[in-house]
Amino acid sequence: MEKVVSGIRPTGNLHLGNYFGAVTSFVKMQEDYDCMFFIADWHSLTTQPKPGDLRRSVKTILAEYLACGIDPEKATIYIQSDVKETLELYLYLNMNAYLGELGRVTTFKEKARKQPNNVNAGLFTYPTLMAADILQHKALKVPVGKDQQQNMEMARKCARRFNNIYGVEFFPEPQDFTYSAKALKIPGLDGSGKMGKSEGNCVYLCDDDKTITNKVKKALTVSGAEVPNSPKPECIENLFTLLEICSAPEVYKFYDERWNDCTIRFGDLKKQLAEDMCNVIRPIRERIMEFSSNDTLLEKIAREGAERARESAAKTLREVREIIGFTPVAR
Ligand code: TRP
């Protein structure tokens, strides 16, 4: 089976947009590929989180991904900082990465603009750490968002350059991987195009029924159309997209007809949508609570994941050391 590697930044709770986007594709991917998913806690140090916050967010993300259906029997899920081999490869890759190219990475430039008082070396070498994450497993496919394309280009450069310098065909070049052509784009409740944490328009998987219902109730609407079969404005289209995702097809069809014959009552639509959304989220929320309250289980899963990841990385690093010239005799 082909190897897939992806890192998850431990930033906040998962929302419906994450769930129907990346998370669902991970859950499907684990059936067809040898998947390694890890929580990128080293990467999150670029913004100096407090220890308590870091611990909490790593645990939350682990519990939430498991609750969504990442199955440790099918995929390897681990915490980045448990696999020290990554650091060794990170060092080797840094020796062959140039200041110029690292400085041109837009995510670096953006972060440097956002935190001008903390433009640290970790931020600068973010792409080589990411390359080490990937190359240590010799992964061929990396599911990442569009914003990661430059980092992926750097990972390929690191692989190519290592191979060139040592005259070997060792690291394969990892490719950006889109698993399903039709990734669902989940709209926000504020009439905007996309549900996102920074937009503040999210329904979280850990929200309780009351919170969800209130959020749906407050969703932006306009008054119904006066002309039959009018096109739907964006905020209304968004509510219909959510109905399509959370409700039965008949429900969608019913409200679509009410929109088209100008008899729609958004109060009714929202009540129905809230109920259906609660039904989608409730079982996930309950599993999140189960995992979150079972530290022993979370620790066992993280430990076993780390063991598997370490085994895979250690094999690569043994060979890398040999290629570089660190032979047992020299030590
Ligand atoms: N940089 C990725 C992001 O911000 C997270 C990440 C870190 C990652 N290491 C990775 C993704 C390795 C894929 C492979 O989303």
Side-chain angles (χ1 to χ4, degrees), residues 31 111 113 116-117 133 174 180 188 195 204 211-212 233 240 251 277 322:
E31 306 292 336
K111 277 268 176 74
R113 197 165 42 77
N117 298 321
D133 291 328
S180 78
M195 189 176 282
Y204 291 97
T211 308
I212 297 169
F240 275 89
V251 173
M277 200 180 275
E322 187 90 13

Side-chain angles (χ1 to χ4, degrees), residues 5-9 38 40 43 80 126 129-131 133-134 142-145 147-148 151-152:
V5 167
S6 197
I8 303 152
R9 267 172 308 158
F38 66 93
H43 274 116
Q80 186 185 32
Y126 187 110
L129 180 54
M130 182 160 158
D133 291 328
I134 299 165
V142 183
V144 283
D147 60 331
Q148 297 297 309
N151 286 337
M152 285 303 300

Side-chain angles (χ1 to χ4, degrees), residues 16 57 65 88 196 250:
L16 265 190
S57 52
Y65 270 81
E88 189 179 344
E250 309 85 76

Side-chain angles (χ1 to χ4, degrees), residues 9-13 39-42 44-45 48-64 79 81-82 291-292 295 298-299 302:
R9 267 172 308 158
T11 52
N13 297 91
I39 301 174
D41 56 349
W42 273 327
S44 70
L45 293 184
Q48 301 177 339
K50 293 199 184 72
D53 291 343
L54 180 60
R55 243 191 307 275
R56 241 188 323 279
S57 52
V58 169
K59 180 178 158 182
T60 301
I61 280 295
L62 181 59
E64 292 194 343
I79 297 167
S81 63
D82 281 339
F291 278 112
S292 305
D295 282 350
L298 288 182
E299 273 161 30

